């Protein structure tokens, strides 16, 4: 359990998770490959009453995957995604941590010992929240504390280029 005022995580009760994980890999064409991983779970606390037994921030549906290209002439590229569904941020499911989908793209050219690369994280410049916590806070002048999501924003579109040399 996250305690925002102290910035610590305290142990909570026993929990269980039932779920399914699926992974698929395929060579679509001679130089084109695809992969997808999907994870579904139903996390709950064991010894809590129904409706008060949600595990805060435990993912219920996640997925990652992409499509990749590799030529015999040194050109490589991929378009990959990361997905996390909305999930509860507290034990009674009244505060929701927002899910997200982020696309990343890479392009590489390999020539002997040199690699020239270009990558773009968050290709579509999606606005998303990375770390999210339900925190009880009270500002000066507020009559009572408010339970709300405090978050770290996800990285906006970021492009980088590189050259590497293997020796």
């Amino acid at each position: 359990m996250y305690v925002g005022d102290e910035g610590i995580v305290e142990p909570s009760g026993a929990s269980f998770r039932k779920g399914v994980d699926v992974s698929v890999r395929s060579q679509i064409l001679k130089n084109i490959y695809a992969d997808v991983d999907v994870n579904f779970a139903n996390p709950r606390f064991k010894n809590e009453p129904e409706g008060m037994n949600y595990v805060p921030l435990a993912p219920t549906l996640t997925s990652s995957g992409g499509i990749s290209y590799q030529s015999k002439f040194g050109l490589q590229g991929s378009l990959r995604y990361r997905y996390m569904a909305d999930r509860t941020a507290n034990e009674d499911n009244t505060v929701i941590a927002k899910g997200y989908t982020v696309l990343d793209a890479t392009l590489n050219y390999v020539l002997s010992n040199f690699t020239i690369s270009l990558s773009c994280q968050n290709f579509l410049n999606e606005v998303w929240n990375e770390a999210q916590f339900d925190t009880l806070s009270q500002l000066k002048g507020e009559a009572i504390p408010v339970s709300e999501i405090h978050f770290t924003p996800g990285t906006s579109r970021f492009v980088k280029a590189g050259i590497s040399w293997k020796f």
Side-chain angles (χ1 to χ4, degrees), residues 3-117:
V3 182
D5 287 343
E6 297 179 31
I8 61 170
V9 178
E10 293 179 341
S12 52
S15 64
F16 67 95
R17 289 163 175 78
K18 293 180 185 176
V20 176
D21 297 340
V22 177
S23 293
V24 177
R25 307 285 184 266
S26 179
Q27 183 174 358
I28 298 173
L29 296 171
K30 184 177 180 182
N31 297 333
I32 299 177
Y33 304 86
D35 64 277
V36 64
D37 297 316
V38 179
N39 311 292
F40 171 78
N42 186 21
R44 296 290 185 267
F45 283 118
K46 283 185 175 181
N47 301 316
E48 298 297 330
E50 186 71 31
M52 295 294 293
N53 60 341
Y54 292 89
V55 179
L57 303 176
T60 56
L61 177 61
T62 63
S63 182
S64 64
I67 189 161
S68 302
Y69 172 79
Q70 292 184 345
S71 78
K72 61 182 178 180
F73 304 109
L75 187 62
Q76 304 169 346
S78 67
L79 186 61
R80 305 201 53 78
Y81 76 92
R82 293 172 281 145
Y83 170 78
M84 183 173 305
D86 290 351
R87 60 204 185 282
T88 186
N90 61 6
E91 292 83 356
D92 64 2
N93 198 28
T94 57
V95 178
I96 302 298
K98 293 179 183 175
Y100 59 85
T101 303
V102 177
L103 244 54
D104 300 324
T106 62
L107 187 61
N108 299 321
Y109 182 68
V110 180
L111 181 62
S112 186
N113 293 343
F114 288 94
T115 301
I116 300 168
S117 61

